[in-house]
Amino acid sequence: MVMDATSPVNAQQDTSQGRSLATSQLQTSLSTEFQRVCLTEVTANAITDISTQTQELVAKVEGSTTQDQGYEHSNELLNKIVKELKKHYGDLDEYQDENLVLFIPKPKNPLPHHPRGYLVRPDILALSKSTEKRLTKTPGWHYLRSVGEWKPRKNFLNNDVEQQREFIASAIQARPDNPSMLGVIMSPGGYMLSYGSPCGYVVTEHLTFSNIAPLVSYVHSLHVLPAAIDLADPKRTITLHTGDDPDSTPRWRITDDIYGLKNHLFDLIFIGPPFSRMTTVFADPEGDLVVKDSYLQDHRQCEAELFKEFGEDFPAQWVPVVVPTDTAVKFNPLEKMSFGSEFAHRQRHRLVLRSTGLPFEKCETISEAVGAIYDLLESNRWAIVKCRVIHRDITGNIFIRPTPGFLPQPGPDDVCFIRGVYDRNPLRPSLAILFDLDNGVELKEKHLTLKEIDNDNSLPSTTRDLKALTGTPLYIARGPSLGVYVPPARPYMFEPLPQLQPPDAAERYEKAYPNDPFRKKQGKIGEYNEDLSNECFEEQPHTMQLIQRPWHDAESLMLMFLIFLLRSKPKDSEPEGVDKLMIMQEVYGLVRNTRIGTRTDHRGSYLIRGRWRQLLHARLAYLAKSITEMCQALNCDYEFLLPATGVDHEVVLHEILQRHLFQIYYKLNDPEEKEFQDVRLDTSSFRPYHKELEPRRGR
């Protein structure tokens, strides 16, 4: 059975006598392919001998009637197989005592130190015997060589395979040194073997103990790694570092001759979904280096290639990239498998960056949050206009207060960040910088209509990737989330561009961008495209699949800002009353359930058209009118805009939002302003959200 990150699980044992020959052949084929690719072969005479030596323990496993008996006997059997394999392969280094694998039953406490904080307990843990001897506490996830489950019934159910899949996923996320792993599910009626990696996840059919050869090969493979598991590259390694305390939080040492890294120590700061790109981010705890590994599909444009579009002297609103000394050197590929079309082939790619920082939620003041969003829009706008690159997954991929700080490059590009605009000094550095182009796509040189994209078969695959709906679900723009174009109920009147007040604010803004006439534009931005609206109603082919556009990046940033404001609380503020919190919690409970492809997107109703005076913390309520006015710009997808002369269709939403944000920033920094007073924020926690108050889906 083959599964990727979204495939349904269907592993219930079929015991009917009338199982078809075709199904039987399919399972036999799967088992054969699994053993060929995922397991290291054991000689026939060793299998025969081990089968004889383990008969007594197999009988105990098959006779287990309680959960505790199952834990005990299944681990005894697996450890007995290790002992017998050592008799046959004792001359190999992998079977020296310090390298032997030990199986231990379900621990009393959850496994610590998972990079995503998971606190669960698999029934069977496999780790090196020497490591287990050094530990004084429950083994951390990072030590595991394999995980397993025990089930008391003879047949396996769908939920059993689901649970094992989650444990494999958790384990490979905790092992960036070798992000692939074998697993086992055992019961009195037999066993199933599983394998997971960024390529996907696969599980065998139900195997009986009378056919013990695959189980023996599984144990052998934890010692002598097959190609599918062994991802080591001697010049590009990741190795575990625990210091003097083996029970402590792990760090990772990276050696990569291509980037000049020699046993360099890093913290693991982020790990993505396990059966896809599985993006892993490491940060230097003592410096400013960041290492980012991703497993991309063959056809995807590599992130490093998109960064090349920026050139060597790109402005400092994007994190600088370390150039490898030899671009021809690649990582060893993951084993390409033939378990099915859903089992994607992936190749690891590495990017080394020269800056670190803090996540957006660490903004210390309202003015810093407003300024950071402005600067991120400026960064994203530059990439779209000057380099024709769209990000598609901005949220979470930013640093505020970047270290080291970088100054923008003076020149005709008119890049100026919010402090530079306010201070009339274009060389003020950005409050935030962007990184992560894993979902990025290179745009055509000129803006294409939907018909042009749909009808031009010569367009490169990178342009057609715009039809792939990708991004962080909570923050992805509503159109891409729904996957359809949603014209407003009545013809939408595009409002004039907001004009900054007082005149001093407008003057500062316009002078910061002397080469961009759009910054000085006044009046309406254009008309409503009724023809496109009718084409959507008629369901013409080019309207049936939404294409991600540059303004969707701007909407994503706005959604991130709104959700941040929704949950922000001033520093040292008194606890809020239940009635006030209930409003926030209800809205947050609805929007946090956002899923890509959902039929109903509550963010439009509850955030964009929300009651902001009631939603915000009382000390932030002065922002309500400004936030409501800014949200009005999100009432329509800009695909339906027929732009006026001098309006840049692709970044019109960037322009609108930046004007609103600078207006707020100006007021916050104006000593004569009475209503707008900057507020220091609590950076250690948000307004409380209680899951038990979460509204039911579909409400």
Side-chain angles (χ1 to χ4, degrees):
M1 179 196 317
V2 180
M3 289 172 281
D4 63 7
T6 57
S7 299
V9 177
N10 182 18
Q12 187 168 359
Q13 173 69 10
D14 182 359
T15 58
S16 64
Q17 296 296 320
R19 182 166 48 185
S20 69
L21 178 61
T23 301
S24 177
Q25 290 174 337
L26 176 64
Q27 291 190 343
T28 301
S29 174
L30 173 59
S31 178
T32 301
E33 181 67 8
F34 186 99
Q35 292 183 67
R36 184 190 69 81
V37 175
C38 299
L39 302 180
T40 303
E41 185 178 3
V42 177
T43 60
N45 66 316
I47 293 292
T48 300
D49 182 41
I50 294 172
S51 178
T52 300
Q53 298 300 323
T54 57
Q55 284 182 357
E56 184 177 341
L57 280 174
V58 166
K60 286 186 177 182
V61 171
E62 292 177 323
S64 298
T65 58
T66 68
Q67 199 82 345
D68 287 342
Q69 285 180 348
Y71 296 155
E72 178 185 355
H73 297 326
S74 59
N75 280 276
E76 284 181 355
L77 173 59
L78 293 169
N79 285 318
K80 175 66 172 178
I81 293 174
V82 173
K83 182 178 179 180
E84 296 303 319
L85 281 167
K86 181 176 172 61
K87 294 179 182 178
H88 292 270
Y89 296 98
D91 56 331
L92 299 178
D93 289 342
E94 291 86 352
Y95 280 94
Q96 301 306 306
D97 286 345
E98 66 273 13
N99 296 326
L100 285 179
V101 171
L102 174 70
F103 291 89
I104 59 178
K106 189 170 189 172
K108 294 181 179 179
N109 301 310
L111 278 61
H113 306 314
H114 193 278
R116 297 185 75 103
Y118 298 145
L119 296 175
V120 291
R121 296 182 295 157
D123 295 339
I124 299 170
L125 310 179
L127 67 162
S128 72
K129 191 173 183 179
S130 58
T131 297
E132 197 274 338
K133 286 182 178 179
R134 292 188 294 118
L135 297 174
T136 61
K137 301 177 181 178
T138 302
W141 283 96
H142 50 287
Y143 285 121
L144 299 189
R145 304 271 281 271
S146 183
V147 290
E149 276 296 292
W150 167 262
K151 298 301 173 186
R153 68 192 76 87
K154 288 185 177 295
N155 299 324
F156 296 110
L157 305 177
N158 292 2
N159 290 341
D160 301 336
V161 181
E162 281 274 21
Q163 186 180 36
Q164 173 68 356
R165 182 178 183 272
E166 293 305 312
F167 287 155
I168 288 286
S170 301
I172 68 174
Q173 285 180 310
R175 292 295 305 265
D177 56 332
N178 204 346
S180 59
M181 186 171 287
L182 289 166
V184 63
I185 316 175
M186 301 179 71
S187 80
Y191 63 96
M192 301 172 78
L193 301 177
S194 60
Y195 167 78
S197 82
C199 286
Y201 177 77
V202 64
V203 62
T204 67
E205 70 275 17
H206 187 147
L207 303 168
T208 63
F209 289 112
S210 60
N211 178 18
I212 202 172
L215 186 64
V216 173
S217 292
Y218 155 73
V219 176
H220 185 49
S221 301
L222 302 183
H223 295 82
V224 183
L225 301 181
I229 303 291
D230 186 5
L231 306 181
D233 187 322
K235 294 185 177 181
R236 313 190 79 180
T237 61
I238 301 176
T239 53
L240 178 63
H241 172 82
T242 56
D244 297 328
D245 181 4
D247 294 300
S248 64
T249 301
R251 286 180 165 177
W252 301 91
R253 292 194 176 275
I254 298 179
T255 293
D256 192 328
D257 291 349
I258 311 306
Y259 285 102
L261 300 175
K262 302 292 184 183
N263 211 26
H264 202 110
L265 188 64
F266 289 92
D267 289 328
L268 177 59
I269 62 172
F270 175 80
I271 184 74
F275 304 129
S276 59
R277 291 194 313 274
M278 197 170 149
T279 299
T280 308
V281 182
F282 303 88
D284 181 353
E286 305 293 335
D288 57 19
L289 283 179
V290 173
V291 174
K292 178 185 173 187
D293 288 347
S294 298
Y295 291 86
L296 303 181
Q297 292 188 35
D298 290 340
H299 72 276
R300 289 289 300 272
Q301 189 170 17
C302 179
E303 182 179 13
E305 295 172 0
L306 288 173
F307 270 108
K308 288 179 183 177
E309 298 298 323
F310 293 172
E312 294 184 1
D313 298 322
F314 60 85
Q317 65 266 35
W318 285 79
V319 60
V321 176
V322 177
V323 178
T325 58
D326 188 349
T327 57
V329 177
K330 306 295 183 185
F331 281 96
N332 293 337
L334 292 176
E335 179 73 19
K336 195 163 188 174
M337 303 181 183
S338 57
F339 290 131
S341 59
E342 292 179 346
F343 217 103
H345 177 56
R346 295 183 181 272
Q347 173 73 51
R348 179 156 51 146
H349 294 270
R350 171 165 289 169
L351 207 63
V352 178
L353 311 170
R354 261 202 337 269
S355 186
T356 60
L358 297 174
F360 182 75
E361 57 265 26
K362 295 299 181 180
C363 286
E364 293 183 339
T365 63
I366 289 295
S367 62
E368 183 179 22
V370 168
I373 295 294
Y374 181 102
D375 289 351
L376 293 168
L377 285 164
E378 183 74 1
S379 306
N380 183 249
R381 178 175 182 156
W382 174 84
I384 291 164
V385 173
K386 300 297 182 180
C387 303
R388 307 303 295 151
V389 171
I390 180 175
H391 192 288
R392 301 201 304 166
D393 192 17
I394 290 175
T395 49
N397 297 313
I398 63 174
F399 290 135
I400 65 165
R401 280 173 260 150
T403 304
F406 300 95
L407 297 177
Q409 300 288 338
D413 285 350
D414 272 356
V415 172
C416 191
F417 302 120
I418 198 163
R419 290 186 293 183
V421 177
Y422 186 81
D423 295 341
R424 294 188 174 95
N425 178 6
L427 294 185
R428 292 297 305 276
S430 175
L431 290 166
I433 58 176
L434 282 165
F435 66 97
D436 189 353
L437 279 171
D438 267 349
N439 286 315
V441 173
E442 187 175 358
L443 302 168
K444 293 289 288 184
E445 289 189 11
K446 75 178 186 71
H447 182 76
L448 300 176
T449 67
L450 299 180
K451 282 186 178 180
E452 287 173 329
I453 293 177
D454 195 60
N455 295 332
D456 190 348
N457 293 324
S458 66
L459 291 175
S461 60
T462 52
T463 300
R464 296 190 176 278
D465 278 347
L466 292 170
K467 293 185 177 182
L469 305 183
T470 187
T472 304
L474 184 58
Y475 303 109
I476 188 174
R478 290 160 300 151
S481 179
L482 293 167
V484 295
Y485 298 96
V486 183
R490 58 183 177 81
Y492 181 77
M493 300 300 293
F494 285 101
E495 301 292 337
L497 286 164
Q499 298 304 301
L500 294 164
Q501 296 294 335
D504 177 62
E507 181 188 19
R508 294 184 195 218
Y509 183 79
E510 292 176 9
K511 285 191 173 181
Y513 307 100
N515 301 307
D516 188 350
F518 189 20
R519 304 279 190 171
K520 304 175 178 64
K521 174 74 176 176
Q522 298 186 29
K524 287 190 65 173
I525 58 176
E527 300 295 336
Y528 182 71
N529 190 340
E530 292 192 26
D531 289 340
L532 177 59
S533 179
N534 292 331
E535 290 166 2
C536 288
F537 180 77
E538 296 165 0
E539 297 186 346
Q540 293 191 17
H542 59 279
T543 69
M544 294 303 292
Q545 186 176 10
L546 187 138
I547 295 171
Q548 287 195 321
R549 298 294 213 173
W551 50 84
H552 293 136
D553 275 0
E555 183 178 333
S556 290
L557 276 167
M558 184 64 178
L559 288 167
M560 183 175 76
F561 183 50
L562 295 178
I563 292 170
F564 172 81
L565 290 176
L566 178 69
R567 300 208 62 207
S568 291
K569 63 180 180 180
K571 190 173 182 179
D572 300 325
S573 58
E574 294 293 326
E576 295 178 87
V578 174
D579 291 345
K580 180 72 172 180
L581 280 176
M582 282 290 289
I583 300 173
M584 180 278 292
Q585 291 173 340
E586 180 181 24
V587 171
Y588 185 60
L590 287 164
V591 301
R592 77 193 294 269
N593 283 327
T594 299
R595 300 289 183 270
I596 294 178
T598 184
R599 291 185 177 184
T600 303
D601 195 318
H602 293 293
R603 294 171 301 169
S605 301
Y606 291 91
L607 282 182
I608 292 169
R609 292 183 290 279
R611 300 168 293 162
W612 281 100
R613 189 161 294 277
Q614 288 76 37
L615 290 176
L616 291 168
H617 189 283
R619 286 173 56 188
L620 303 179
Y622 67 89
L623 292 168
K625 184 175 184 293
S626 297
I627 298 302
T628 301
E629 290 175 351
M630 193 161 25
C631 286
Q632 289 175 1
L634 302 177
N635 280 333
C636 184
D637 193 307
Y638 286 82
E639 200 70 61
F640 296 95
L641 170 67
L642 291 173
T645 303
V647 170
D648 189 334
H649 192 174
E650 293 185 322
V651 294
V652 65
L653 184 56
H654 291 72
E655 177 66 20
I656 294 170
L657 296 178
Q658 284 184 278
R659 292 191 189 196
H660 279 293
L661 289 164
F662 184 70
Q663 183 73 80
I664 297 172
Y665 188 86
Y666 185 90
K667 289 183 177 182
L668 289 170
N669 288 275
D670 183 358
E672 303 297 322
E673 173 64 40
K674 301 302 182 184
E675 180 184 5
F676 279 63
Q677 299 294 323
D678 205 0
V679 174
R680 296 196 67 81
L681 300 173
D682 188 338
T683 60
S684 62
S685 64
F686 283 102
R687 299 167 80 187
Y689 171 69
H690 304 293
K691 190 171 179 62
E692 62 269 18
L693 298 177
E694 183 175 314
R696 295 179 180 178
R697 293 188 183 181
R699 174 174 174 175

